[in-house]
């Protein structure tokens, strides 16, 4: 189970960072931080967003509980530490992604910071650690949840590799 969850956490972290630096004349040029005023759409998007759902297209059994019980609800199979994923988008374009920071006894705590931009035509842009990533997201009508979808590779409890489309849904915290 730890291998499966570690794979999922690694894939999430990898999906957050996409290296976009280039090497022109041996000068390393990094993606520039996002700056400028927030649009009204971005102002509504600021705040803390917590992972609330992970659903796969195919049934997968990630838990080593000696019961054959595959499900498309992967979130229900996650440990508390694996469920503890939070995005925070600040009103000055600062951004933080944390994993395993509030759940008890997590071994793989992680934090990534940078800047962000939400562009209705292109998606969510995150700049961090000399890299930039564009992620297509879908925000619900009430602006209380957003989802992102990707094709991910999982290793089930029996060691089978399963490629499946997975949807991650985050809910906005009301403070």
């Amino acid at each position: 189970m730890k291998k499966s969850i570690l794979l999922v956490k690694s894939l999430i972290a990898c999906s957050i960072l996409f290296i976009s630096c280039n090497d022109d004349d041996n000068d390393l040029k990094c993606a520039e931080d996002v700056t400028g005023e927030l649009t009204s759409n971005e102002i509504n998007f600021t705040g803390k967003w917590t992972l609330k759902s992970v659903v796969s297209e195919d049934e997968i059994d990630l838990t080593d509980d000696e019961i054959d019980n595959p499900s498309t609800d992967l979130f229900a199979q996650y440990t508390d530490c694996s469920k503890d994923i939070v995005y925070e988008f600040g009103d000055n374009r600062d951004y933080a992604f944390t994993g395993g920071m509030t759940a008890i006894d997590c071994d793989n705590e992680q934090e990534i910071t940078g800047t962000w931009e939400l562009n209705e035509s292109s998606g969510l842009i995150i700049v961090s650690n000399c890299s930039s990533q564009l992620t297509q997201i879908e925000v619900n009508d009430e602006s209380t949840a957003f989802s992102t979808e990707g094709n991910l590779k999982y290793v089930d409890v029996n060691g089978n590799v399963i490629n499946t489309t997975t949807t991650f849904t985050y809910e906005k915290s009301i403070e």
Side-chain angles (χ1 to χ4, degrees):
M1 164 128 168
K2 283 190 177 188
K3 278 186 176 181
S4 302
I5 298 305
L6 183 58
L7 176 62
V8 171
K9 287 176 91 172
S10 297
L11 290 170
I12 292 170
C14 289
S15 72
I16 292 169
L17 298 175
F18 179 78
I19 297 174
S20 65
C21 300
N22 61 30
D23 190 359
D24 294 337
D25 300 328
N26 295 326
D27 291 331
L28 185 62
K29 299 202 179 187
C30 293
E32 292 185 27
D33 285 339
V34 180
T35 59
E37 296 289 321
L38 297 179
T39 65
S40 60
N41 193 36
E42 290 173 319
I43 291 169
N44 291 333
F45 193 73
T46 61
K48 186 182 282 189
W49 298 80
T50 305
L51 181 64
K52 292 297 179 182
S53 171
V54 180
V55 177
S56 63
E57 200 170 80
D58 298 304
E59 291 186 338
I60 304 171
D61 187 357
L62 296 175
T63 57
D64 191 10
D65 57 5
E66 298 183 19
I67 300 171
D68 186 22
N69 55 349
S71 171
T72 59
D73 181 2
L74 301 184
F75 190 76
Q77 300 180 61
Y78 280 13
T79 65
D80 289 344
C81 292
S82 296
K83 291 177 182 179
D84 186 17
I85 304 292
V86 176
Y87 284 96
E88 193 158 352
F89 300 99
D91 58 6
N92 60 353
R93 295 208 177 273
D94 61 321
Y95 149 82
F97 167 88
T98 57
M101 301 294 272
T102 58
I104 298 171
D105 294 328
C106 297
D107 293 331
N108 296 324
E109 294 176 352
Q110 52 184 312
E111 181 174 18
I112 301 168
T113 60
T115 59
W116 69 281
E117 174 182 5
L118 182 61
N119 185 311
E120 289 183 43
S121 62
S122 60
L124 177 63
I125 299 166
I126 294 176
V127 178
S128 180
N129 297 325
C130 193
S131 59
S132 175
Q133 183 209 353
L134 170 65
T135 302
Q136 296 299 317
I137 66 170
E138 186 174 317
V139 181
N140 69 356
D141 291 337
E142 298 81 24
S143 296
T144 58
F146 78 86
S147 298
T148 183
E149 185 177 277
N151 191 6
L152 300 178
K153 186 181 293 188
Y154 295 89
V155 178
D156 73 6
V157 71
N158 297 317
N160 301 313
V161 176
I162 301 161
N163 289 307
T164 188
T165 300
T166 306
T167 303
F168 296 86
T169 301
Y170 298 83
E171 284 185 2
K172 189 172 188 177
S173 300
I174 307 298
E175 295 179 11

